[in-house]
Amino acid sequence: MPKQPVRVTVWSELSEPASVYPNGINGQLAKVLNHFAGIDAKIADLHAFQQGLSGEILDKTDVLIWWGHKHHSEVNDEYADRVVDRVTKHGMGFIPTH
């Protein structure tokens, strides 16, 4: 039976300079990760529906890579709690980056 890919969501607040990262830093990281066999990387961001942290997205995430810099206080507490719940109770991996 074939192995399922590791489902990675790369999240960004999108404060990075568009001149350097025209598709967002999350877009660049996902592009690189998708070159590796066994990884299926998607993107999410602060400006998406439910700030890219909906239950549906997190249910399809094995590892969340989080890029934040200036806008942590803008993340809705309910959505942040979802992330904490998935990490602490359901084993989702979490890689904070800056």
Side-chain angles (χ1 to χ4, degrees):
M1 183 161 91
K3 268 182 126 174
Q4 296 295 323
V6 176
R7 302 168 301 170
V8 178
T9 299
V10 187
W11 186 92
S12 172
E13 65 185 32
L14 296 180
S15 65
E16 60 272 20
S19 61
V20 178
Y21 298 103
N23 297 315
I25 199 166
N26 57 343
Q28 185 61 40
L29 288 171
K31 180 180 175 181
V32 170
L33 290 169
N34 280 323
H35 284 295
F36 292 93
I39 295 179
D40 179 21
K42 308 275 191 243
I43 63 169
D45 64 71
L46 182 66
H47 306 292
F49 174 72
Q50 294 187 9
Q51 298 181 319
L53 302 169
S54 69
E56 181 179 348
I57 288 173
L58 295 177
D59 286 345
K60 297 176 183 175
T61 300
D62 299 316
V63 177
L64 177 65
I65 298 175
W66 182 282
W67 188 87
H69 177 59
K70 302 183 212 180
H71 301 283
H72 297 289
S73 65
E74 294 177 31
V75 177
N76 180 292
D77 288 344
E78 177 186 350
Y79 307 150
D81 288 344
R82 285 181 190 162
V83 172
V84 171
D85 181 70
R86 295 305 197 292
V87 171
T88 60
K89 296 179 182 166
H90 303 283
M92 181 180 76
F94 181 74
I95 301 172
T97 61
H98 171 78

